[in-house]
Amino acid sequence: MPSSVPSFAELLGACQHSAIHLEIRDSYAPTPRFEAWQRGDRITWEDRASWWHPYDQLIADTVARGVVIRRARIVSEPVSEYIRWEHYVTHANVTAGEQVRWLPRRQATGLALPGNDFWAFDETLLRVHHFSGDGAVVEDEITDDPALVKHCVTAFESVWERAIPHVDYQI
């Protein structure tokens, strides 16, 4: 059965001003890239052609259109192995044009946070990720409910204010 949820590329393509992404999990389902990193494989950052993916190009093209893309991650410390890998590969996100910040979970206690990761596009539309316990995406939900969008955008901004820029966050 085909999904009625627009693809990420479609949502980003329709975006005019801003796209924000909040990640609150300490691990997600393993990927081949993560498993290679676990085996000791490292990226040759100087050889961009070896690691530049369609996602990176989509982000770069969107930023070139004037859309500001920000990602905030709330992480437990000491960080999980998965977060250690995410920190390593965030070089690609930043190179593509994303602004990325990290918030240690202990600094998030006083924040009213949603229970799920999400993307918000132009502060009018949400793509909410629903995960299984082992970190696999079960479903993406799209909503333009103004109260829910406002809650999520407000939560993101409160995280962003406290979070540490990627270049300064040491693990």
Side-chain angles (χ1 to χ4, degrees), residues 57-70:
Q57 192 60 53
L58 175 62
I59 295 300
D61 292 345
T62 303
V63 169
R65 289 192 292 110
V67 176
V68 175
I69 301 177
R70 296 182 294 156

Side-chain angles (χ1 to χ4, degrees), residues 25-30 116 129-139:
R25 297 179 57 91
D26 284 319
S27 66
Y28 296 85
N116 299 295
H129 302 298
H130 298 285
F131 293 94
S132 65
D134 64 1
V137 174
V138 174
E139 177 184 33

